[in-house]
């Protein structure tokens, strides 16, 4: 498990190539689940946990990892299964989302697979709106075809953490606020929770939100406007895109936009739960205008105001 992560330099080789690495794990005997390796800091055997009184029912306690206290979420229980028991093999996937570190208690951790986003598909519509998946994929492992479910971690965390969408005093420029009314912004994000958080922040300011669930849908919409003789700049103020999405990721989407002279000046903000120097480097590499680490309402509104100033 010590080698479960590549270095930042190695990981960035996938960016712009529409590729990803998935960490596969089990929370029961029959199903394979996955999260993107980009979000994973470390994988360890579950250490002893300290209780956390008053915490959410899905928080099993706190683990001490080399002097750092990390809340541990029982992922099996958080997505609707019965909680894990002491008799089961239990491992801890330590992740960083939205500038916070947390551990997810899972069963057996399998291995890492390298895939293209074009092989990642949205969940079937029959799964309904209350599932905890952003995507699915089919993998052949030991000559057996497996269906892998990619967890919507943002939805899991949103049900545990109360994200405050209120703006801090002084963030909103009153003059620019008047200019926001009537503008449209396109959001591309495979997480319905992430899209909802953006809408709840921007719609009260008079901004109309157009939303799609992956980068390919966003690109096709932009291209359809261009092909129909419309100006992308008249249709939307800006694009806010997630980094990780089925069919086409946000990096590839941005690269495609920058290579099309009909829309290469479109303001593109990368809005992602990934954080740190990795994404700052990727903004430069693929040509995004801004990087927003989820979920920061003040920063989100600030970026919209910067776009209006331009």
């Amino acid at each position: 498990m010590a080698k479960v992560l590549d270095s930042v330099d190695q990981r960035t080789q996938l960016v712009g190539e529409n590729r990803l690495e998935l960490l596969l794990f089990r929370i029961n005997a029959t199903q394979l689940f996955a999260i993107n390796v980009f979000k994973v800091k470390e994988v360890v055997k579950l250490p002893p946990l300290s209780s956390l009184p008053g915490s959410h029912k899905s928080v099993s306690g706190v683990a001490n990892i080399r002097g750092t206290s990390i809340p541990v979420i029982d992922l099996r229980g958080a997505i609707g299964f019965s909680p894990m028991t002491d008799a089961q093999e239990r491992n801890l996937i330590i992740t960083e989302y939205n500038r916070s570190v947390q551990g997810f208690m899972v069963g057996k951790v399998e291995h890492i697979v390298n895939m293209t986003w074009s092989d990642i598909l949205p969940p079937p519509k029959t799964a309904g709106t209350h599932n905890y998946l952003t995507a699915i994929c089919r993998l052949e492992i030991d000559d057996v075809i497996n269906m892998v479910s990619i967890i919507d971690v943002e939805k899991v965390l949103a049900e545990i953490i109360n994200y405050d969408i209120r703006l801090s005093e002084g963030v909103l420029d009153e003059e620019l606020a008047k200019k926001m009314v009537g503008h449209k912004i396109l959001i591309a994000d495979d997480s319905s929770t992430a899209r909802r958080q953006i809408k709840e922040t921007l719609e009260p300011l008079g901004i109309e939100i157009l939303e799609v669930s992956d980068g390919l849908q966003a690109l096709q919409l932009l291209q359809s406007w261009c092909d129909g003789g419309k100006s992308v700049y008249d249709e939307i103020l800006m694009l806010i895109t997630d980094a990780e999405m089925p069919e086409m990721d946000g990096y590839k989407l941005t690269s495609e936009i920058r290579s099309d002279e009909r829309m290469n000046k479109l303001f593109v903000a990368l809005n992602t739960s990934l954080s740190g120097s990795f994404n700052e480097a990727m903004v430069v590499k693929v040509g995004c205008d801004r990087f927003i680490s989820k979920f920061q309402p003040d920063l989100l509104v600030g970026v919209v105001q910067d776009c209006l100033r331009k």
Side-chain angles (χ1 to χ4, degrees):
M1 291 186 186
K3 297 181 179 180
V4 73
L5 297 182
D6 295 327
S7 69
V8 168
D9 287 341
Q10 290 171 318
R11 290 159 66 192
T12 57
Q13 297 304 312
L14 300 177
V15 173
E17 303 299 326
N18 208 39
R19 301 191 66 86
L20 77 158
E21 288 180 318
L22 293 176
L23 176 65
L24 305 183
F25 58 90
R26 297 184 185 273
I27 58 175
N28 57 35
T30 59
Q31 290 177 276
L32 270 175
F33 294 86
I35 60 174
N36 196 318
V37 170
F38 279 178
K39 307 288 182 68
V40 179
K41 295 173 65 69
E42 188 176 3
V43 180
V44 298
K45 290 290 185 183
L46 183 72
L49 302 181
S50 301
S51 62
L52 194 61
S55 60
H56 189 276
K57 63 180 181 180
S58 295
V59 177
S60 298
V62 175
N64 188 300
I65 306 295
R66 291 182 294 279
T68 300
S69 296
I70 297 175
V72 174
I73 297 167
D74 182 345
L75 188 57
R76 178 184 168 100
I79 66 173
F81 292 94
S82 58
M84 298 192 72
T85 66
D86 294 344
Q88 296 171 293
E89 178 181 353
R90 296 187 294 177
N91 293 291
L92 189 63
I93 301 176
I94 301 173
T95 66
E96 183 174 0
Y97 283 83
N98 306 343
R99 310 167 318 283
S100 67
V101 175
Q102 54 280 310
F104 291 100
M105 184 198 308
V106 301
K108 182 180 180 182
V109 176
E110 300 278 348
H111 49 271
I112 290 173
V113 294
N114 189 311
M115 302 189 67
T116 66
W117 276 110
S118 59
D119 294 326
I120 309 296
L121 303 173
K125 289 184 170 57
T126 52
T129 58
H130 299 294
N131 69 81
Y132 289 87
L133 308 180
T134 58
I136 59 173
C137 65
R138 291 164 60 89
L139 285 177
E140 183 175 337
I141 302 175
D142 297 329
D143 298 322
V144 177
I145 299 297
N146 293 263
M147 187 64 71
V148 180
S149 301
I150 302 174
I151 298 291
D152 186 349
V153 178
E154 289 166 0
K155 181 174 181 178
V156 172
L157 291 176
E159 293 183 354
I160 296 172
I161 302 170
N162 182 27
Y163 291 111
D164 190 352
I165 65 168
R166 292 175 298 179
L167 296 178
S168 300
E169 186 176 352
V171 168
L172 190 62
D173 183 316
E174 296 301 331
E175 290 302 315
L176 286 174
K178 299 173 185 176
K179 298 179 181 180
M180 290 183 190
V181 178
H183 276 293
K184 297 178 182 179
I185 291 177
L186 176 61
I187 301 172
D189 201 307
D190 59 338
S191 171
S192 59
T193 298
R195 297 197 305 270
R196 176 177 52 80
Q197 289 173 336
I198 295 174
K199 290 175 66 175
E200 289 179 351
T201 300
L202 297 182
E203 283 186 337
L205 302 179
I207 295 173
E208 181 180 343
I209 300 298
L210 309 178
E211 53 183 306
V212 295
S213 57
D214 64 61
L216 183 59
Q217 290 178 22
L219 181 62
Q220 290 173 339
L221 177 59
L222 295 171
Q223 290 173 334
S224 71
W225 288 337
C226 294
D227 293 342
K230 297 179 179 179
S231 168
V232 166
Y233 313 112
D234 291 337
E235 295 298 317
I236 56 174
L237 174 66
M238 63 185 295
L239 165 68
I240 299 175
T241 178
D242 187 21
E244 307 170 271
M245 296 175 287
E247 304 279 8
M248 179 182 289
D249 66 24
Y251 305 116
K252 181 66 172 177
L253 170 60
T254 304
S255 178
E256 291 291 329
I257 290 171
R258 295 299 180 234
S259 65
D260 190 328
E261 62 180 12
R262 301 174 299 176
M263 53 177 148
N264 58 10
K265 302 300 183 184
L266 180 65
F267 192 101
V268 179
L270 189 70
N271 184 51
T272 171
S273 51
L274 296 168
S275 58
S277 59
F278 169 76
N279 258 310
E280 298 292 349
M282 290 311 97
V283 167
V284 175
K285 180 173 180 177
V286 303
C288 293
D289 292 282
R290 290 289 297 274
F291 159 63
I292 311 170
S293 180
K294 297 177 181 176
F295 175 66
Q296 300 184 78
D298 288 356
L299 183 54
L300 176 62
V301 171
V303 168
V304 174
Q305 292 182 150
D306 287 347
C307 181
L308 280 169
R309 290 188 183 101
K310 292 183 66 174

